[in-house]
Amino acid sequence: MTIGADLGVLAAAGDGLVERWRDLGPTLWLIAGVLAAAWLAVLALLAAVRDPRRVRPGPAALELPGPESPAVVNLLTTDWDLGHEAVPATLVALAAKRRIEIEMVGDDTFVRLRRRAAGDGASLTGYEGMVLDHVAGLAAHTEDGRVPARALTTGPEHSAKRWWRNFRSSVVDESRGRGLSRPRWPAGLKAVMIGAAVPVALTVALAASTARDDPGDPDDNPVEGAFAAGLITLVGAGALVGSRSGERDTPEGREAAARWLGLREVLEEDPLFAEQPPAAVAIWDHLLAHGTALGVAHGVVAALPMGTESDTEAWSPFGGRWRVVRVRYPRRFPPGYGLHPGLAVLYGLLHLLITATMLPLAVGVAGPLVDELRDGGFTSGDVPDEVDLFFEGFAALIVLMAALILLQGATMLAAGVADLVLGRRTVEGRVLRVRDRVERDEDGRVTSITRHVAVDDGTTDRVRAWRFRSAVPGGQGAVVRGRVSRFLRHVADYEVVGRLPAAAPEAAPAGAATGGPDGRAAASGVVPAPEAPRSLAGAALAFGHALGDEGNGGGAPAPPLPDDGAVSAAAGRALARDAAAKPHPAALAGGSALYRAGGGGHIQVVWVPTVAIDVYRRLPAALRHELRGVGDEAYRARFGGGVMARRGPHVVMVTPHLPAVDASQRDDAAARVAAAALAQVPAGPPPAPPPARSAPGT
């Protein structure tokens, strides 16, 4: 009797311990939820800390500042996030290395392999070899070995993505080998984060072990359930950490990036460079390849569509220059994106109210609910183990949900109030991307369509797509206007106001038939419209031919360059000619000079072939600005202040880089320097149109 009584006491004590352990379920789930939230917060903090830092441009100079390849330069100058323009940049680099030829016939671009000796491939990097092999594979199917540029795409979407991954991996390997980048998430850091997830997984397993078992089910084992819950948590955390990737900066990489960003400043201010076609590599050599990688050679990228159209990268001419714009499509963050500010305030208050209701449940309501369910919810008095597990984990889930809802509500409330107080701003820009997100039910029926419209207003290189709940007019390329709230980007009064072409229109150049840009008759020396090139590419091609003829002494000599005093007086600041500066690639023989100012600025004066001005005439009106009172005709880019001006048969290009002054002073200085240069030459007769011809191989 004594032994039996003792066993009974022990059994009762054991049952009491088990019940007390099970009563700890809500508390353990609460602890697991807090640990999981803390782990996620640390992961988010590390992601923010390990983002690459922005690099300030170094000294601006029109020369290659380092040995890095165009693809590596693209990686360094786009916040260590390789852009797709690295592929056409590599193709142009192969042409500069004389491994391929790039030709233009009319307005069409063709690529052809050059003959080379065996073993030459050893001088190429892995990604350069990929591009060369791609061209070779396409050329093998043609009789003359020429591949049209429009056929250079890397295949359908799945093939293009695989090719791009291999290309990117090869570029990253070279960058790391040179010490210019490093993994944003090294293996050691990933191991630490996975190790930190172990306590979270153990706490989840302990919380899951408090679930009640079903004595009538021999397969119901709380220990196995706890092990499964912990393992799933650890595997999920490992998958989340394992998905982290990307590159970040190094001291050497930042130094190299600064050098190349200095070159980009010069190239993006050049009135000729942006629209040069790939065949212009014969003139610009490696500068064209690196300019393509730096995102300032739209003409090259437009002519070499190597890959599928990217959802997140787009070229835009809005704001006065062609440039790459990165597009983001917000979904869950920021909360309330695209909502009317009034609705955002209402939803934010509702979220806060829900949070205030849910928090008490997390600290004590879940347990009584289980007891009440056990006492009266089931006639048999037995509560299934799955129900116990659900309600005991309910408290921890409520805490996590409450924290997320609290943050979401506070963010929406703050953004909505700020938008109501600050009001809207009118935005006008070019539609770069239109993408629809379609949601369907289980039967495949469409339940909702959200349209994202990415609009570039020319003020930033990173845009967030506007969100609409229905279709809106205006496809890609349209110029639209809308009144947009400042934080949530809610759009009102959306309308299409025009269309900005991606290439120059085929209309006659400004001032060709009825008069020049300042209203004077065509007899003042403007080149007649019928002889003008048909397109920007054709104008650039004619310019290249003229440079080949005149730059080597085949044409009229370049007019004299202004002296230091004339340039200084026109610019309103002291400048001195740098005799050691390399001539501009587009200059006539002896027709280039660089005048340096204090503070790192400079002004470049270049005499270029007469037909060079046709390149600028063919730009859409939104991309040029006509100047009055400077020679017979003159144009200035809206970005950078560069001036192209003509007097008689002579054309001068002035490119200012004066970071110490504001834009209006810079523009005035460039115009005055152009006028001073033209004042040294007589007006003369209008130039004769060049004969039409096709481009030879580069």
Side-chain angles (χ1 to χ4, degrees):
M1 293 294 294
T2 302
I3 296 176
D6 291 342
L7 291 174
V9 171
L10 290 173
D15 290 341
L17 289 174
V18 171
E19 289 301 322
R20 290 172 62 184
W21 175 253
R22 288 172 176 168
D23 290 340
L24 290 175
T27 302
L28 290 174
W29 280 113
L30 178 61
I31 295 173
V34 171
L35 289 178
W39 186 87
L40 290 171
V42 171
L43 186 68
L45 179 62
L46 285 174
V49 170
R50 301 190 70 81
D51 268 351
R53 295 169 293 168
R54 290 293 181 92
V55 179
R56 290 189 176 184
L62 190 64
E63 57 186 28
L64 297 182
E68 292 81 15
S69 70
V72 171
V73 167
N74 178 266
L75 177 68
L76 302 181
T77 56
T78 54
D79 295 333
W80 280 262
D81 184 14
L82 190 68
H84 285 77
E85 59 272 14
V87 182
T90 301
L91 184 73
V92 177
L94 290 172
K97 290 182 175 182
R98 307 299 185 260
R99 302 304 297 270
I100 64 171
E101 296 177 345
I102 301 179
E103 310 171 333
M104 282 192 71
V105 179
D107 289 339
D108 296 325
T109 299
F110 295 86
V111 177
R112 185 207 310 267
L113 290 175
R114 281 181 178 268
R115 294 182 179 180
R116 64 183 189 275
D120 284 352
S123 62
L124 300 181
T125 63
Y127 52 88
E128 288 174 332
M130 286 180 61
V131 174
L132 191 64
D133 290 344
H134 177 64
V135 174
L138 295 173
H141 300 288
T142 63
E143 294 182 358
D144 58 359
R146 292 196 312 178
V147 181
R150 61 181 178 273
L152 289 172
T153 57
T154 52
E157 184 175 2
H158 67 281
S159 298
K161 287 183 177 179
R162 183 173 62 252
W163 193 94
W164 167 251
R165 284 195 300 268
N166 293 335
F167 180 90
R168 183 186 184 281
S169 177
S170 180
V171 175
V172 168
D173 287 345
E174 180 181 345
S175 178
R176 291 181 183 177
R178 290 175 172 267
L180 303 176
S181 68
R182 51 182 166 166
R184 194 174 303 181
W185 293 87
L189 181 60
K190 289 185 177 181
V192 169
M193 288 304 299
I194 294 175
V198 172
V200 180
L202 289 175
T203 309
V204 170
L206 289 173
S209 70
T210 63
R212 298 181 183 276
D213 61 337
D214 184 2
D217 184 1
D219 296 328
D220 185 14
N221 188 335
V223 176
E224 293 180 357
F227 178 79
L231 182 62
I232 291 173
T233 302
L234 187 59
V235 170
L240 184 60
V241 172
S243 65
R244 305 294 91 188
S245 62
E247 297 296 291
R248 64 175 304 204
D249 54 304
T250 65
E252 295 82 1
R254 292 175 60 80
E255 189 273 333
R259 287 188 275 106
W260 287 104
L261 289 173
L263 172 63
R264 185 171 74 178
E265 285 195 343
V266 175
L267 292 178
E268 68 185 3
E269 293 168 351
D270 193 291
L272 286 175
F273 187 80
E275 296 299 339
Q276 295 300 297
V281 67
I283 305 167
W284 295 86
D285 201 51
H286 287 278
L287 278 174
L288 188 64
H290 286 84
T292 304
L294 290 167
V296 292
H298 164 262
V300 171
V301 178
L304 300 174
M306 300 189 68
T308 57
E309 180 181 85
S310 173
D311 291 339
T312 57
E313 297 176 5
W315 280 87
S316 175
F318 212 81
R321 63 183 176 106
W322 282 105
R323 70 198 195 287
V324 178
V325 178
R326 315 289 176 181
V327 181
R328 188 163 69 88
Y329 303 87
R331 295 187 63 181
R332 297 179 179 86
F333 189 84
Y337 185 81
L339 284 179
H340 188 282
L343 283 178
V345 171
L346 177 61
Y347 288 164
L349 292 173
L350 288 176
H351 279 65
L352 296 180
L353 179 62
I354 292 172
T355 304
T357 305
M358 291 176 64
L359 281 175
L361 294 176
V363 296
V365 176
L369 281 177
V370 175
D371 294 337
E372 183 179 351
L373 182 62
R374 180 183 297 108
D375 294 338
F378 290 84
T379 56
S380 65
D382 293 329
V383 182
D385 181 66
E386 291 81 2
V387 176
D388 268 356
L389 179 61
F390 172 78
F391 278 100
E392 288 175 355
F394 191 55
L397 292 177
I398 288 176
V399 171
L400 288 176
M401 292 173 60
L404 292 176
I405 294 175
L406 176 65
L407 179 62
Q408 188 176 34
T411 304
M412 279 197 293
L413 179 62
V417 170
D419 279 351
L420 290 175
V421 172
L422 297 177
R424 301 174 183 271
R425 64 187 182 94
T426 299
V427 175
E428 181 175 322
R430 185 174 191 249
V431 176
L432 302 182
R433 292 289 183 265
V434 177
R435 296 292 185 267
D436 292 336
R437 190 176 76 246
V438 180
E439 297 182 1
R440 303 178 183 271
D441 58 19
E442 295 180 354
D443 298 327
R445 293 188 296 267
V446 176
T447 57
S448 66
I449 299 177
T450 303
R451 172 154 292 185
H452 293 86
V453 180
V455 178
D456 170 40
D457 64 354
T459 61
T460 178
D461 292 341
R462 296 178 183 271
V463 302
R464 289 186 291 173
W466 298 345
R467 182 184 295 175
F468 298 90
R469 289 296 181 184
S470 60
V472 291
Q476 291 183 188
V479 178
V480 299
R481 182 189 300 129
R483 294 173 53 246
V484 186
S485 63
R486 297 177 183 272
F487 292 97
L488 298 176
R489 299 293 198 274
H490 179 264
V491 184
D493 302 328
Y494 181 88
E495 61 177 335
V496 178
V497 297
R499 173 167 289 273
L500 182 62
E506 297 300 330
T514 59
D518 58 356
R520 292 190 295 268
S524 62
V526 178
V527 179
E531 304 297 338
R534 294 179 300 159
S535 66
L536 277 174
L541 179 62
F543 158 65
H545 283 307
L547 184 64
D549 293 341
E550 300 177 35
N552 294 322
L561 291 160
D563 58 28
D564 294 0
V567 174
S568 298
R573 58 188 44 78
L575 294 111
R577 182 171 178 176
D578 183 355
K582 291 184 178 181
H584 191 282
L588 298 175
S592 175
L594 186 72
Y595 303 86
R596 296 196 181 277
H602 65 251
I603 293 179
Q604 189 157 35
V605 179
V606 182
W607 291 107
V608 295
T610 306
V611 295
I613 202 167
D614 285 324
V615 179
Y616 223 59
R617 288 172 176 166
R618 302 301 296 179
L619 288 175
L623 300 182
R624 69 166 187 258
H625 179 69
E626 300 173 11
L627 296 177
R628 298 177 183 272
V630 180
D632 297 330
E633 60 175 321
Y635 305 92
R636 180 174 62 224
R638 294 184 179 180
F639 180 87
V643 171
M644 183 84 70
R646 180 185 63 80
R647 181 176 176 83
H650 303 291
V651 174
V652 68
M653 183 176 72
V654 177
T655 306
H657 180 72
L658 301 171
V661 303
D662 60 34
S664 62
Q665 292 175 317
R666 175 205 63 196
D667 293 349
D668 290 344
R672 290 194 299 267
V673 171
L678 292 177
Q680 300 182 130
V681 300
R693 55 177 173 176
S694 299
T698 60

